[in-house]
């Protein structure tokens, strides 16, 4: 498979990544300009290849057990800016430009529940209703 | 156990977190002011309790199979600002004030290797040598 620059994707990249026993690696998505942490999901080798080749982020959905093109049903895609690998090779940081909202609840990011004095507090509003996002289709 | 506000830590918090089969949940550490993603590590229930109680971040070290007070040997601790839980309850975002550097390589964060045109590129410099950080002690 070729990446967005037309180069053959080097095994060097995959040799630097340690996948778990399920062939997955956690991937943190961060908004490129604001620094907002949007979500965390999982990638396998194919989802990394497709992300690099297409320029839009793909994950591996553990619940649906299939490749997941983020935004495939909602239109809330993530334009890939850069993939970074951590010092141990077992976590990815995916720098993106999020179209619309990242969270299936219609919030900008998935981390909208804060622990506060031993209780939980919702710290972000819904920006788009899930009905509007998905209608009757599957969440993504 | 009590949290830093002196309240009994509610089961509400732990009921909202989905630990994996090893009793762990991934935790992303983000610098509170700059938004920089510093690292990703794992927490179990006790590490969350200790982080909230002490105000300094604790993880579960999978390689050492023990509780890990971040910075215990290097002094590069993380002051806890807030714990956030994602929409599925299976990932934490830990907002911190990182003292010094987060990475055992002496770099500010662990994501210093970028995938670039099918190759790898180092995008951050070492700020403190590992020898200075650790001497002969274990990495943290």
């Amino acid at each position: 498979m070729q990446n967005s620059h037309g180069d053959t994707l080097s095994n060097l990249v995959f040799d630097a990544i340690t996948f778990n026993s399920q062939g997955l690696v956690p991937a943190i998505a961060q908004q490129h300009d604001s620094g907002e942490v949007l979500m965390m999901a999982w990638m396998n080798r194919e989802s990394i290849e497709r992300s690099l080749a297409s320029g839009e982020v793909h994950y591996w959905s553990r619940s649906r057990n299939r490749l997941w093109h983020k935004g495939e049903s909602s239109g809330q895609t993530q334009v890939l800016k850069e993939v970074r690998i951590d010092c141990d090779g077992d976590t990815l940081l995916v720098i993106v430009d999020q179209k619309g909202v990242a969270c299936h609840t219609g919030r900008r990011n998935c981390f909208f529940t804060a622990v506060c004095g031993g209780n939980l507090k919702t710290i972000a509003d819904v920006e788009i209703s899930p009905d509007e996002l998905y209608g009757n289709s599957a969440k993504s």
Side-chain angles (χ1 to χ4, degrees), chain A:
Chain A
M1 184 167 284
Q2 291 190 322
N3 64 20
S4 58
H5 300 282
D7 306 319
T8 300
L9 193 62
S10 171
N11 276 328
L12 196 68
V13 172
F14 291 105
D15 287 349
I17 300 173
T18 303
F19 294 93
N20 71 11
S21 58
Q22 287 80 50
L24 302 176
V25 62
I28 303 159
Q30 183 181 33
Q31 175 64 22
H32 73 104
D33 46 7
S34 67
E36 183 180 8
V37 176
L38 299 166
M39 57 182 282
M40 200 281 274
W42 295 78
M43 288 182 162
N44 63 358
R45 179 172 176 139
E46 186 181 359
S47 64
I48 298 169
E49 288 175 331
R50 290 201 182 216
S51 299
L52 291 167
S54 70
E56 291 199 344
V57 180
H58 292 62
Y59 298 100
W60 179 260
S61 169
R62 297 183 304 171
S63 59
R64 287 172 282 175
N65 202 38
R66 68 167 177 83
L67 203 69
W68 163 33
H69 177 192
K70 172 72 181 163
E72 61 195 9
S73 55
S74 67
Q76 315 288 289
T77 53
Q78 294 178 336
V79 176
L80 181 64
K81 295 285 189 180
E82 191 166 75
V83 175
R84 298 179 189 161
I85 306 170
D86 82 344
C87 54
D88 296 325
D90 62 3
T91 306
L92 304 181
L93 179 63
V94 183
I95 310 297
V96 306
D97 189 8
Q98 173 70 53
K99 302 304 176 190
V101 299
C103 186
H104 74 283
T105 64
R107 293 176 176 88
R108 177 72 180 168
N109 75 67
C110 295
F111 298 96
F112 56 83
T113 303
V115 176
C116 185
N119 286 307
L120 301 177
K121 185 178 175 186
T122 299
I123 58 171
D125 294 328
V126 170
E127 298 186 13
I128 307 173
S129 78
D131 282 352
E132 191 176 340
L133 279 176
Y134 301 106
N136 290 320
S137 58
K139 294 170 181 173
S140 99

